Amino acid sequence: MFERRLKFFLISLLTALALLLVRAVHLQVFTHARWVKDADDFKRKAQLIETTRGRILDCQGREMAVDQACMDACVDYRAISRNEKWMTDLAIARAKDANPDAWKASDKKRRATLIENEVASVNHDIDHMFDLLAKESGQSRAQIDETCHEIVLRVALHGRWLQYRRFLAASHNRQADAKAPWYRRWILQGGNDGPKLDDYDETEGEEVSVHTILNNISSQAYLALAREQSHCPGLVLQPGTHRVYPYHNAACHALGNLSPVMKEDLESDQFADDPLREYELNDTIGRSGLEALCEPALRGRRGKSYRQSGQEDEIADAPV
């Protein structure tokens, strides 16, 4: 009886080991190239390059609407949302730079106190930065806070939108493989019960990038912000564009106007399958007149750059 139980146990153990070996061979031999490609893609960070909106000309070739270069005051989303990890990392870097010897000599409790103090300092500097942005733009602090709140809402909505799209794609792929034998599905897919929406909640590029708080700032505002930039966590002054109508209100009813993209625009976007042409929540769209009628041609096509560890930027597509 004992020998029979022992044989049954050994057979079960060997069967489980054989299944694990089959799974390992499949991952390391038959699908090795795919996993290597997925790992390389994961290490490559993609960043979109915004395009310039097309010009509108009259019959004599004069510009009636055109994008012109300007400087924008942007802020890192992690500063806007007061990301705890980002602020802690910044506080640690500040504490180390302020007194490297004291940091090395400090015990765990002392370091925690230093970090706590620096986090409070980072919070104070962020408040100072938003106060400065309000002052230089002639707005109130409440208006700047409202702009930040809108950015947080747009990023959250866009993240859920992308999350749902990834979920739908995974569900479609799962259904395509549903006819395979159970053992093949277990080997290929790891034996899970199918994709779940929460499994596709990932950090989006917009959550670690900068967002425009002030567009087309003046030269005086640029100089004032540049002087204080070292004391403003997350502040970035970068080139941008703004829409200009050289003849002001002339033919304004025909030219139309622009406004920010809304949820309805995302749902009805005819270029939703093209990541370089689809709308993002920080885009503008033509609402009336020629701006709306010629929207597909005027909006153009973004570029995209990739950065991989140990390599220089590679431009995959240039904006047009």
Side-chain angles (χ1 to χ4, degrees), residues 225-288:
L225 293 172
R227 285 195 298 266
E228 295 290 329
Q229 191 169 7
S230 60
H231 303 293
C232 298
L235 177 63
V236 177
L237 303 175
Q238 65 180 21
T241 59
H242 71 292
R243 197 66 166 170
V244 174
Y245 300 94
Y247 295 95
H248 305 291
N249 293 331
C252 60
H253 60 287
L255 293 176
N257 68 301
L258 305 176
S259 69
V261 166
M262 302 176 66
K263 180 182 178 181
E264 294 76 13
D265 300 315
L266 294 176
E267 295 174 347
S268 60
D269 187 4
Q270 60 179 312
F271 298 108
D273 296 331
D274 185 349
L276 298 181
R277 296 204 70 187
E278 66 176 346
Y279 286 117
E280 301 288 347
L281 283 171
N282 57 343
D283 289 340
T284 56
I285 182 174
R287 289 296 177 196
S288 62

Side-chain angles (χ1 to χ4, degrees), residues 49-52 301-304 315 317-320:
I49 304 173
E50 292 301 328
T51 183
T52 301
R301 186 172 185 266
R302 297 182 183 88
K304 182 181 288 187
I315 305 299
D317 295 282
V320 294

Side-chain angles (χ1 to χ4, degrees), residues 2 8 28 34 66 84 101 147 162 170 182 203 219 239-240 242 244 284 291:
F2 175 76
F8 177 77
Q28 299 183 23
R34 181 167 72 94
V66 62
E84 184 176 348
D101 295 333
T147 300
L162 293 180
W182 69 268
T203 300
S219 300
H242 71 292
V244 174
T284 56
E291 294 281 18

